[in-house]
């Protein structure tokens, strides 16, 4: 995105989900490159304009706020919020000038496809419908779209995957897994996804395509946990529980904790959730970094 790097971008980039694990570093990178970005979140993120995110309702407040300012058209949008909230707003966005859209979905649409958990079944339905409706709306409205399905995202302590495990290990100095925990994982750093956004912004070959974006390394779940111990400079202490016992423990944790644990999580520790990065590599030079390449950056500072 040459214009953006030179600081002379004449179009507005709308960024939804700007406080999330991908949205926050993406917002910072847009600003570093001196792009004209409008960050949108559930809370007010632009006090001068009073712009906030309320995509649960029919009226998309950022559009009204930007229109009142009389700014240039909203040519580009990066959607890091839940994908199923987007389709209803696309006609209004197109009316205000949207022509390029990059959307984050999730590899959960694939990995949880056969789940027995009702909440996870609903999530898969929402993701699948969100992708299909977004593509359909964009085709009708003439919006060039690209959909990303990231695998296990981590980075900056904002995620509930690697950072959650790291917080537990840092506090208790041990971890618990189900059985062998030999299911494959490809954790992807938030910055890899930020890089991907900038690589596809003006890349025509990526239009109307869906890419699964995974990390550079393929690790067993157990090995991933061990690498977190190493990053925290702690002795590796991993306790293996039989699958039925671990599933029961997750049910209890769901009742007593804030995190939405499900028994299906235990099953997936021994399921392979590995994906093919080659379409993204071929089309736009996707180049993810090694897992936990830099502990000071990759894990929350409060843990180190």
């Amino acid at each position: 995105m040459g214009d953006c790097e030179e600081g002379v971008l004449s179009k507005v980039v709308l960024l939804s989900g700007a406080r999330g694990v991908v949205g926050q570093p993406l917002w910072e990178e847009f600003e570093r490159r001196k792009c004209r970005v409008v960050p949108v979140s559930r809370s007010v993120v632009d006090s001068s304009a009073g712009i906030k995110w309320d995509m649960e309702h029919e009226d998309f407040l950022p559009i009204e706020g930007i229109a009142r300012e009389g700014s240039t058209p909203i040519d580009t949008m990066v959607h890091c919020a839940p994908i199923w909230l987007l389709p209803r707003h696309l006609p209004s966005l197109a009316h205000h000038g949207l022509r390029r859209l990059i959307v984050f979905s999730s590899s959960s649409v694939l990995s949880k496809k056969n789940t027995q958990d009702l909440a996870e079944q609903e999530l898969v339905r929402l993701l699948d419908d969100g992708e299909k409706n977004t593509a359909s709306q964009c085709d009708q409205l003439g919006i060039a779209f690209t959909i990303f399905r990231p695998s296990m995202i981590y980075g900056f302590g904002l995620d509930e995957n690697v950072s959650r495990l790291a917080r537990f290990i840092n506090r208790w100095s041990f971890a618990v897994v189900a059985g062998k925990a030999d299911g494959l994982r490809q954790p992807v750093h938030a910055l890899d996804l930020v890089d991907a956004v900038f690589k596809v912004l003006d890349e025509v070959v990526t239009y109307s395509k869906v890419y699964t974006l995974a990390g550079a390394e393929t690790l067993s779940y157990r090995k991933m946990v061990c690498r977190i111990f190493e990053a925290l400079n702690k002795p590796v202490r991993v306790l293996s529980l039989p699958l039925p016992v671990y599933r029961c423990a997750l049910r209890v944790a769901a009742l007593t904790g804030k995190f939405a644990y499900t028994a299906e999580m235990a099953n997936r520790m021994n399921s392979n959730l590995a994906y093919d990065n080659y379409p993204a590599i071929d089309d736009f030079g996707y180049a993810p970094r090694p897992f936990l390449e830099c502990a000071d950056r990759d894990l929350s500072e409060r843990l180190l």
Side-chain angles (χ1 to χ4, degrees):
M1 194 174 182
D3 287 347
C4 190
E5 293 175 357
E6 296 170 12
V8 294
L9 185 66
S10 60
K11 304 168 184 177
V12 173
V13 177
L14 185 62
L15 173 62
S16 61
R19 291 293 190 190
V21 61
V22 177
Q24 182 73 38
L26 183 56
W27 177 12
E28 293 170 0
E29 182 62 17
F30 271 121
E31 292 197 327
R32 189 189 71 79
R33 298 189 185 208
K34 302 188 185 303
C35 299
R36 299 186 61 192
V37 59
V38 177
V40 183
S41 183
R42 286 184 176 88
S43 59
V44 174
V45 294
D46 185 339
S47 58
S48 62
I51 295 172
K52 63 181 180 180
W53 173 50
D54 194 11
M55 295 182 75
E56 294 283 1
H57 296 84
E58 292 299 324
D59 294 328
F60 191 15
L61 296 183
I63 299 299
E64 298 175 5
I66 295 167
R68 282 196 300 270
E69 292 182 336
S71 63
T72 52
I74 306 162
D75 175 82
T76 301
M77 179 179 184
V78 182
H79 183 70
C80 301
I83 188 172
W84 55 85
L85 297 177
L86 178 63
R88 75 173 75 173
H89 301 293
L90 287 172
S92 177
L93 287 162
H95 175 73
H96 286 275
L98 182 68
R99 293 296 176 266
R100 179 70 176 116
L101 175 66
I102 300 166
V103 185
F104 280 90
S105 181
S106 171
S107 62
S108 291
V109 73
L110 303 174
S111 64
K112 298 178 181 178
K113 186 174 183 180
N114 297 316
T115 181
Q116 298 302 307
D117 183 83
L118 294 179
E120 291 183 348
Q121 290 175 5
E122 176 63 8
L123 173 63
V124 171
R125 185 192 68 78
L126 288 170
L127 289 169
D128 187 54
D129 287 351
E131 290 185 6
K132 291 176 180 176
N133 292 336
T134 294
S136 176
Q137 286 273 5
C138 285
D139 287 342
Q140 295 176 24
L141 296 167
I143 299 172
F145 73 91
T146 303
I147 296 176
F148 287 154
R149 291 172 174 168
S151 60
M152 179 183 286
I153 306 173
Y154 72 99
F156 309 112
L158 296 172
D159 67 280
E160 287 295 338
N161 298 310
V162 172
S163 294
R164 179 170 56 89
L165 283 168
R167 287 192 291 270
F168 184 94
I169 292 168
N170 189 66
R171 180 176 181 182
W172 301 107
S173 297
F174 74 94
V176 184
V177 299
K180 294 181 179 180
D182 57 1
L184 300 180
R185 296 293 186 273
Q186 295 167 299
V188 60
H189 199 285
L191 289 179
D192 294 329
L193 304 177
V194 170
D195 292 343
V197 167
F198 284 94
K199 286 181 177 179
V200 306
L201 274 175
D202 298 314
E203 186 57 72
V204 177
V205 72
T206 67
Y207 292 1
S208 301
K209 290 186 178 180
V210 180
Y211 297 94
T212 301
L213 302 183
E217 295 187 66
T218 302
L219 309 164
S220 69
Y221 191 94
R222 178 182 290 272
K223 181 60 177 176
M224 181 185 74
V225 171
C226 291
R227 291 278 290 275
I228 296 172
F229 275 98
E230 294 166 3
L232 294 170
N233 295 314
K234 286 183 171 291
V236 177
R237 296 190 178 95
V238 181
L239 174 64
S240 296
L241 294 180
L243 181 58
V245 176
Y246 196 93
R247 286 171 60 90
C248 182
L250 285 179
R251 290 192 184 97
V252 174
L255 295 173
T256 60
K258 295 181 180 179
F259 188 78
Y261 296 96
T262 70
E264 289 291 319
M265 293 178 181
N267 296 344
R268 283 195 292 273
M269 284 188 187
N270 294 281
S271 300
N272 291 335
L273 306 182
Y275 306 98
D276 186 0
N277 281 329
Y278 286 106
I281 293 171
D282 291 343
D283 283 358
F284 59 91
Y286 178 61
R289 64 207 72 203
F291 180 54
L292 293 180
E293 181 182 56
C294 175
D296 288 337
R297 177 202 64 200
D298 297 344
L299 298 175
S300 173
E301 292 182 359
R302 64 180 176 273
L303 297 177
L304 302 173

